[in-house]
Amino acid sequence: QVQLVESGGGVVQAGTSLRLSCAASGRISSDYTVGWFRQGPGMEREFLAGILLGVGTPYYVDSVKGRFTISRDNAKNTVYLEIHTLKPDDTAVYYCAADRRFAPVLNGTPGSWGQGTQVTVSS
């Protein structure tokens, strides 16, 4: 079993940047994929980006390319999501998730979820 804990959320001003962290523990290994999702007010949860822990290959949905950066520090068992030029529309609860396979992360059915961290962007 894999445990995930997100941190780094808060109230931030539009135009600034933020880095979220996802600390993993338990039976996670380099063949896992970790992804970031968000759920805005009244919205469905959406996949944003994923990364293969072993090789570090990132994947982004088109809507966040160029503004979001996913990275990992395997020594710390932590995956990061940097969001640049924050917009009020980025207000959401951000979740990380993990699975041994990429496809479940991409389609929103991974085996493990974190509890989420709230990001509120003020204009």
Side-chain angles (χ1 to χ4, degrees):
Q1 190 154 355
V2 174
Q3 294 81 42
L4 303 169
V5 179
E6 302 93 336
S7 61
V11 180
V12 295
Q13 284 200 323
T16 62
S17 298
L18 188 69
R19 188 176 79 164
L20 305 178
S21 300
C22 172
S25 60
R27 302 176 69 86
I28 193 165
S29 56
S30 62
D31 57 343
Y32 269 70
T33 294
V34 175
W36 281 97
F37 297 74
R38 71 182 178 187
Q39 186 168 18
M43 308 286 286
E44 292 189 355
R45 187 153 52 188
E46 61 174 336
F47 171 75
L48 303 171
I51 190 165
L52 281 70
L53 294 183
V55 297
T57 305
Y59 176 87
Y60 302 94
V61 295
D62 287 345
S63 60
V64 305
K65 284 181 180 177
R67 202 163 62 87
F68 288 36
T69 303
I70 190 170
S71 61
R72 94 278 192 243
D73 184 337
N74 287 346
K76 296 181 179 180
N77 278 351
T78 300
V79 174
Y80 304 99
L81 183 71
E82 293 181 83
I83 310 172
H84 305 286
T85 318
L86 280 154
K87 306 173 183 178
D89 284 349
D90 292 321
T91 295
V93 179
Y94 285 73
Y95 300 89
C96 65
D99 198 277
R100 193 178 293 278
R101 297 170 298 148
F102 177 74
V105 175
L106 182 63
N107 65 30
T109 60
S112 301
W113 288 95
Q115 84 290 346
T117 185
Q118 174 72 47
V119 173
T120 302
V121 183
S122 62
S123 56

